[in-house]
Amino acid sequence: MTTTLDIAPAPAARPEQPYHLRSANTLLGQARVARGWSQDKAVRALSLLARSWGWQIAAEPSLKVQLSRWEHGRTRPNETYRALLCAAYQVTPEELGFDRADRSATVKSLRERINDLERLVESLTGTAGVREVSA
């Protein structure tokens, strides 16, 4: 008499994903991962955005180190980088964990810059020989 055993095949080992997006457990890190971006891709996006705006920022290798520090909460991005991060990730400052004081400082700074530009335009038009002619 022959007995047969029905043995289920051993489950195949689940393959490991070759590349997995990770971030620190912060709003800033989660925003990057939510877009499906690696740190390298985020750095590239920030660099391209800054260049398109005519802004000067750190070189990409340094920026990657800074991004990691920001995501881990070791340091906080300054006004320039907060604006770039919000634009690149298409989120508000609050969604990235920047507090309202940071936001109001950004708004104040932008208003000051607008006022400076308006004064510059006024001074340039005043010195360009633009005069009203009376009849």
Side-chain angles (χ1 to χ4, degrees), residues 34-113:
R35 292 195 65 80
W37 289 1
S38 65
Q39 281 189 336
D40 288 328
K41 186 168 185 171
V43 164
R44 187 75 183 132
L46 293 170
S47 294
L48 290 172
L49 183 58
R51 186 176 306 137
S52 75
W53 288 356
W55 291 11
Q56 293 182 0
I57 61 171
E60 290 186 16
S62 297
L63 188 54
K64 185 173 180 182
V65 171
Q66 288 178 327
L67 180 61
S68 179
R69 289 178 180 163
W70 299 331
E71 286 186 0
H72 286 85
R74 291 189 189 112
T75 60
R76 297 199 32 93
N78 67 23
E79 178 184 333
T80 295
Y81 292 108
R82 288 191 305 261
L84 286 168
L85 288 161
C86 289
Y89 295 157
Q90 298 179 355
V91 295
T92 66
E94 289 81 11
E95 290 173 303
L96 292 180
F98 305 143
D99 61 42
R100 295 188 70 69
D102 289 342
R103 184 170 181 263
S104 64
T106 300
V107 170
K108 181 180 178 187
S109 175
L110 289 174
R111 283 189 185 132
E112 289 171 355
R113 292 168 78 184

Side-chain angles (χ1 to χ4, degrees), residues 5 12 16-17 23 26-27 69 71-72 75 80 85 116 119 132:
L5 295 172
E16 189 171 315
Q17 183 177 355
S23 75
T26 61
L27 293 174
R69 289 178 180 163
E71 286 186 0
H72 286 85
T75 60
T80 295
L85 288 161
D116 290 344
R119 282 191 293 275
E132 289 186 32

